[in-house]
Every structure is written in structure tokens, then in C-alpha cells.
Amino acid sequence: MAVELTSPFQFPILIEQIENGDRIAEEFCLLAKNLRSEDKEGGLLSHDWGEAKQSGDKTDYEKSGYTSFYNQNLAEKEEFNEIHQVTVKQIEKYLNAISTHEVTFNLTNSWASIYGNGHFVPDHIHPKAHLSVVFYAAATDGTGEITFKNPAYSAYAMSYGNKGLFRDTLIVPPKKGMMIVFPSFLAHGTRPHEDHAERIIFSTNAVLEFV
């Protein structure tokens, strides 16, 4: 069966509802919430994210959101094995669809993030990885979209301006059970999550090895 990839900037992105996505999402939500409840020094999102701030008090999570990125690697925790196994399958599917060479890879670091009302992550890239993945364990329709930026924008903006000749962004609405695989150099961020139901995601990075 052909793998459907979207290539808005000529760099493929795999966006897919994964098999058993709802069940895996619900299980990950429980694990992520337990992680947050036990984590006194977790990272913060929103405006605090850019300064790599960590919590001094758990009330900080209510103000800015929570991420385990700075102090915990979920790839080292046995209870997160299933989500990593699913991630490996999706990355393999992505590479089989696009690569003309034999490629292996390793997952380097994984983390959970929990967004409350108004929380977001500014635009960024993942400089120490080749591929990155996000999985939506809890999401609300119509809010908190992930936005990918055209990496060639600076090259064409000065010459062409905003004339609609090229696609500047790809906006993907989050859906429970959806996993996205994308090149780590693509700048991306999230629009503010505007709902009182939390948005919970799993993220990981992969480093490729060309045989």
C-alpha cells in the first residue's frame, strides 16, 4: 500500500492516524499525567520555553504548561516501550517511502508535554536530530495547531515578497491518535491551545545512520 506523504516545501512529512491510536493515546495520557505529578523540576512551555525555564513550584505548570524535555528521557523508561515501538514503525514507513539508500536510525530522546489553556511552543528546530516525531494523545478540534514554516522563506521573500507564489506555512490541526514524522530542520511551533481540556503530546528525535 502506498504511503501518503505531504511535501509542502519539497520536504516530505508523514501525517497519519496510527493503528490503535485511541488506545495508545489514552494510555500515554495517564503516563504523562503521572510523570508531571511526580516531577518537581519539569520544564515550562509558552513564554518560559525560550529561556529553558524549569519549574520552581508545580503551580508553574498551570501558568505555562509542562514538558519533561529538560530532565527526563522517556526512551529510558520501560513503561513507554509501546509508544516507542509504534514510533519506530512510523519512521521506518517514512524512510521506506523517501530514501534511495539503506538507512538505519536510533531514537535519541523522547519527552511528554502537557498544554493547558493558552499554552503554546514558539517556533523552533531540533538541531541535534535528523527526524522528529509528535504524537497527539489528547487534542481539541480547532485549536493548538502545529505550524511548519517553509525553510526557503528567507531566500524567496526578499525577491518575491508575499505574492502567494510559494507556500509559507503548513498548518496541521491536532487529532487524538495522530502521529507526524518530519525533518528536524523544519521550523515549527504551535498556536495557543484555547481549551480547558489539556492537550497532551509525545515527542521524540531520531538520528539517521546511512549504510
Side-chain angles (χ1 to χ4, degrees):
M1 182 175 66
V3 176
E4 295 186 8
L5 300 172
T6 182
S7 301
F9 320 122
Q10 300 305 311
F11 298 108
I13 299 173
L14 174 59
I15 304 171
E16 190 171 71
Q17 294 291 126
I18 65 171
E19 186 177 358
N20 299 318
D22 283 354
R23 177 187 60 78
I24 294 171
E26 290 170 6
E27 291 175 0
F28 183 80
C29 281
L30 292 175
L31 290 170
K33 289 179 180 179
N34 288 339
L35 202 67
R36 178 181 60 182
S37 68
E38 298 171 359
D39 194 348
K40 298 179 181 179
E41 299 179 342
L44 302 177
L45 303 172
S46 306
H47 295 292
D48 292 325
W49 183 89
E51 298 179 17
K53 287 186 177 180
Q54 291 179 249
S55 173
D57 186 291
K58 288 186 178 180
T59 58
D60 289 338
Y61 300 152
E62 298 176 8
K63 299 175 185 176
S64 301
Y66 166 77
T67 179
S68 65
F69 177 81
Y70 298 111
N71 63 339
Q72 301 192 59
N73 184 356
L74 305 190
E76 300 172 349
K77 296 179 180 291
E78 185 176 352
E79 61 267 34
F80 292 94
N81 281 351
E82 183 176 23
I83 187 64
H84 286 98
Q85 291 169 359
V86 172
T87 299
V88 166
K89 291 181 180 179
Q90 290 300 105
I91 293 176
E92 289 175 344
K93 182 184 295 187
Y94 177 90
L95 290 173
N96 287 338
I98 70 168
S99 181
T100 58
H101 296 80
E102 185 177 351
V103 185
T104 61
F105 62 91
N106 293 303
L107 301 182
T108 55
N109 61 311
S110 305
W111 62 99
S113 299
I114 303 178
Y115 299 71
N117 192 25
H119 300 160
F120 66 96
V121 165
D123 292 344
H124 62 287
I125 62 171
H126 297 201
K128 296 183 179 180
H130 294 119
L131 295 177
S132 296
V133 176
V134 60
F135 171 72
Y136 293 95
T140 302
D141 290 342
T143 186
E145 299 91 341
I146 185 169
T147 302
F148 294 95
K149 300 296 181 68
N150 191 331
Y153 178 81
S154 60
Y156 67 75
M158 291 182 63
S159 299
Y160 299 96
N162 187 20
K163 299 296 190 295
L165 293 176
F166 306 104
R167 186 169 187 173
D168 297 338
T169 61
L170 172 68
I171 300 171
V172 183
K175 294 184 181 298
K176 178 182 177 181
M178 182 172 73
M179 184 172 283
I180 304 175
V181 182
F182 58 95
S184 302
F185 61 76
L186 283 183
H188 58 284
T190 63
R191 293 179 170 179
H193 176 63
E194 297 175 349
D195 192 68
H196 291 290
E198 292 179 321
R199 183 164 74 92
I200 302 176
I201 68 169
F202 164 83
S203 303
T204 192
N205 288 324
V207 172
L208 305 181
E209 296 181 2
F210 295 92
V211 178

